[in-house]
Amino acid sequence: MISVLVLLFTLVQVRQEKERLTIDLQRRSALLGESLKESIEPLLEKERPERLQKIVEKFGNRERLAGVVVYDVKDKLIAATPSLSAHLSDPPAFVTHTMNSDRESGEFFQLGGKEMYLYTLPLHREEGVAGALVIIHDPSYIQERLSLIWNDSFIRFLVNAFVISLMTLLLIRWSMAGPIAKMAQWMKHLRTEKKKSPFRLPSARIFEPLTREVTQMATSISAAREAAEEEARLRNTAESTWTPVRLKEQVCTLLRERPLLVISNREPYMHEKKEKKIGCLVPASGLVTALEPVLKACGGTWIAHGSGDADRDVVDDQSKIRVPPEEPQYVLKRVWLTKEEEKGYYYGFSNEGFWPLCHVAHTRPSFRAEDWEYYQTVNKKFAEATLEELEEGGEPLILIQDYHFALLPRLIKEERPDARLALFWHIPWPNSESFSICPWQREILHGMLGADLIGFHTQFHCNNFLDTVDRTLESRIDWEHFAVERGGQSTLVKPFPISIAFPGQTNASTANSATRPNKESLLKDLGVKAKHLGVGVDRIDYTKGILERFKAIELFLGKYPAYQGEFTFVELGAPSRIHIKEYHDLISAVEIEADRINWRFKTKEWQPIVFLKKHHSHEEIRPFYETSDLCMVTSLHDGMNLVAKEYVGARNDESGVLILSQFTGASRELRDALIVNPYDIEEMAEAIRTALEMSVSEQKVRMQAMRETLKNRNIYYWAANLITALAQVRLEKTS
Ligand code: G6P
């Protein structure tokens, strides 16, 4: 490209120079001719050829002048520079033409094999044109000048090409070789040092895809290495901690190539349209938090309601997609529901009926026959979607999740008696009297008892369930083994306290644990200056005791004014089930309450409550867990509550205090939390003060104990127990 430009530029320059020099030559020839003419014309008149010849010879010696020739009007040569007379004895045609037209002219002409410039002027006598004077110049200097221009351009081109190549080379070295070397250093450090690399990966846009892949690969490699080291360590010390690798091995042994299926209403990944792009988010759900690591470890198929507005755009023709998006490890199969089905089954029966029925939170359940119809229809729809998956493999293990699918175990069992079915109930089970208000209690229990194994978080809920069955259905309760015998089928009812993947046992936490954020900057981003930080993470749900928590904060600040301006509580609240009036109203109630309390206490730079109403990703929540002085879980009733466990899991600095409702399943395990009754506002306010004033050493003792519990009773332990129990139920029956 550059060469073409240089060539064009030189061509133009040469043309212009040639033109200029020719005009100059023509001008000089004309001037010379004019002055010669004055001496020649009188001699022509007097017909003195020898005199004419002398003048011609004298002029012919001038610099660059090759010679002079004079013709008479009959084209006869009458005087000429001697060296030219032989070549120009006859005039060239344009000389004759000049005489005929009586007009001066200049031409380039080949003379004796050499190019010359001939300038012809008509000579006059009184009667008119009497001959022609030809001034002949050697124009070779023009050619020399033009060659010089060509040479100059060529040299300039060479210099430019050299400089550009050098600069390109330097640029490539600086912009590519540097970052690539950095990347290599980063990877080498990771390979040899095992710690987070102090080198930074190049951030330039051009490297983005490469950086993303390299980071992903490094994360997987270091997770695999950690898992292998953990396994080796456990083998050496004969510890019993469950890891993904150990779970995978156990499940493989139990499954022996048979498929593993998980069914839940909520899907682990939702695809949503955002500004014309499709994004993927992990919904706020304890169930998803718990089960995702299990599927990642064991593989299998997860069947769930496709509720994201872009869910259909990304699945294949069987409504399937492999997830997690960044590193696919299992299949997600989406089931599509109509608006009416979603309204009746999900919003209606599940969340306005079952949810308040099972949670003692004093919100009255609504039972509508129409919702019940849809609940049955959707359970059938999920049964069909599951049975479709079973066609290929025999004797599958199926883990059905939660209150959305009470009828599913029976529907599947009737079609596939060989399937091993577990139903895990993530929410509490009320006492039999409370449950009896449900008009379809018999159908529900009958559906549930299609499972071989029913799991709850606590023994208390198992007992409530067994008691409910005992009072509602004709059956035999085996209180010794906690089983129900009915119609020739046995259902074991056991507690399996669900948990989290303890950090260090999952990819995500490994990748991020090294970067601990800073409390001040976190608060600064929220526009608040405070010394102490408290955090709450919830779906905005009436069972979570958010209003009670805020009241306790208000009471605490009123009772201990020294903390005004010092303590800020950040509530990360994810709007949930917003088409249900109670949930919709609750969001406004929480906002109004936060506003009221803030208005009462706030100063220019500080406010007691920051309510962040949106869905937060795990990555957004983690810094709050890691830096807050306390975390409040104040559910009025909760099956387990994994926020409590996540907070403890995130505190690898062994500080921070957990304030935990006595009505959560988690309070049975995390006994070193400050256990509170969320209905007792005074007690919660005191707990906040105790937490903020607790010595570092006491925090450490408590946190260490809770972390130890979680390390052993992690989600892999839960899954291993549940799946093993399910496999054994079958063995017992067939033996
Ligand atoms: C509870 C239930 C889950 C549910 C989650 C979120 O944890 O036990 O089944 O997924 O709440 O509620 P959502 O209605 O948004 O799925």
Side-chain angles (χ1 to χ4, degrees), residues 264-267 283-288 346 351 355 359 401-404 425-427 457 539 541 544 575-577 583 638:
S264 72
N265 172 70
R266 185 56 70 201
E267 56 182 343
S285 160
L287 177 153
V288 168
Y346 172 74
N351 286 313
W355 182 266
H359 288 93
Q401 309 298 315
D402 237 351
Y403 57 98
H404 311 87
W425 204 259
H426 289 255
I427 61 174
H457 292 298
R539 275 186 311 102
D541 191 302
K544 303 292 178 186
S576 170
R577 306 172 191 168
Y583 286 82
D638 218 328

Side-chain angles (χ1 to χ4, degrees), residues 446-459:
H446 176 68
M448 290 173 78
L449 290 170
D452 302 293
L453 174 67
I454 297 178
F456 293 94
H457 292 298
T458 65
Q459 185 62 51

Side-chain angles (χ1 to χ4, degrees), residues 16-303:
Q16 283 175 346
E17 188 64 3
K18 192 174 175 184
E19 247 170 49
R20 189 182 68 76
L21 290 173
T22 310
I23 291 170
D24 181 60
L25 183 59
Q26 184 184 21
R27 199 171 36 77
R28 274 194 294 115
S29 306
L31 277 174
L32 189 64
E34 282 309 324
S35 61
L36 247 179
K37 226 169 121 178
E38 280 169 19
S39 327
I40 289 174
E41 273 175 344
L43 293 175
L44 205 63
E45 188 113 10
K46 292 176 189 149
E47 295 185 358
R48 301 211 24 207
E50 53 312 328
R51 182 92 185 97
L52 208 59
Q53 180 63 29
K54 253 195 194 142
I55 290 176
V56 164
E57 280 175 21
K58 190 175 150 209
F59 263 87
N61 291 335
R62 289 197 176 182
E63 192 198 354
R64 283 190 195 152
L65 195 61
V68 178
V69 177
V70 181
Y71 296 99
D72 69 9
V73 77
K74 292 188 186 115
D75 289 348
K76 187 178 157 230
L77 183 98
I78 43 179
T81 306
S83 57
L84 297 175
S85 52
H87 299 294
L88 289 170
S89 52
D90 289 324
F94 56 82
V95 174
T96 315
H97 185 255
T98 298
M99 286 191 278
N100 294 341
S101 64
D102 192 12
R103 288 175 74 169
E104 301 177 6
S105 71
E107 292 281 339
F108 285 96
F109 188 74
Q110 290 291 329
L111 263 189
K114 202 175 169 204
E115 187 173 56
M116 292 289 173
Y117 182 72
L118 275 60
Y119 191 80
T120 314
L121 302 97
L123 295 170
H124 299 97
R125 274 199 288 195
E126 264 170 20
E127 63 271 30
V129 176
L133 167 65
V134 185
I135 309 286
I136 302 157
H137 272 101
D138 179 356
S140 58
Y141 74 95
I142 294 183
Q143 211 42 55
E144 279 160 21
R145 172 83 193 107
L146 298 183
S147 303
L148 262 177
I149 293 178
W150 277 113
N151 284 350
D152 276 3
S153 288
F154 184 64
I155 290 168
R156 220 178 309 139
F157 167 72
L158 278 186
V159 171
N160 277 350
F162 176 74
V163 172
I164 289 170
S165 312
L166 193 75
M167 278 173 60
T168 314
L169 250 163
L170 287 175
L171 210 74
I172 289 177
R173 231 193 116 61
W174 173 71
S175 67
M176 307 282 274
I180 287 173
K182 261 194 212 163
M183 206 177 278
Q185 264 179 334
W186 186 87
M187 291 177 82
K188 187 175 172 197
H189 189 277
L190 208 85
R191 178 168 57 80
T192 52
E193 299 293 324
K194 298 180 195 168
K195 292 183 296 210
K196 190 178 160 29
S197 175
F199 303 107
R200 286 166 68 88
L201 280 174
S203 53
R205 232 198 147 91
I206 183 173
F207 291 107
E208 232 172 56
L210 193 59
T211 310
R212 210 177 27 241
E213 279 313 307
V214 166
T215 314
Q216 189 62 48
M217 201 169 72
T219 310
S220 309
I221 291 171
S222 68
R225 185 165 62 195
E226 266 182 29
E229 284 171 356
E230 179 76 352
E231 282 305 308
R233 193 182 64 75
L234 293 177
R235 234 167 268 144
N236 287 341
T237 55
E239 266 189 45
S240 57
T241 303
W242 279 88
T243 63
V245 178
R246 193 169 159 205
L247 174 66
K248 192 175 183 172
E249 273 173 22
Q250 168 89 350
V251 171
C252 284
T253 316
L254 291 171
L255 287 177
R256 279 178 274 117
E257 309 275 301
R258 288 167 304 175
L260 173 71
L261 276 90
V262 169
I263 301 150
S264 72
N265 172 70
R266 185 56 70 201
E267 56 182 343
Y269 293 95
M270 277 168 90
H271 287 89
E272 298 272 4
K273 280 189 194 121
K274 232 193 224 164
E275 292 151 11
K276 291 190 187 157
K277 270 193 181 163
I278 295 182
C280 185
L281 64 86
V282 176
S285 160
L287 177 153
V288 168
T289 309
L291 282 164
E292 159 86 343
V294 178
L295 267 285
K296 274 181 170 177
C298 305
T301 302
W302 186 330
I303 303 175

Side-chain angles (χ1 to χ4, degrees), residues 269-272 278-280 310-317 319-322 332 334 336:
Y269 293 95
M270 277 168 90
H271 287 89
E272 298 272 4
I278 295 182
C280 185
D311 273 358
R312 285 178 197 263
D313 301 338
V314 294
V315 292
D316 63 15
D317 54 1
S319 305
K320 289 181 185 173
I321 178 174
R322 285 188 62 78
L332 167 62
R334 286 172 170 154
W336 314 113

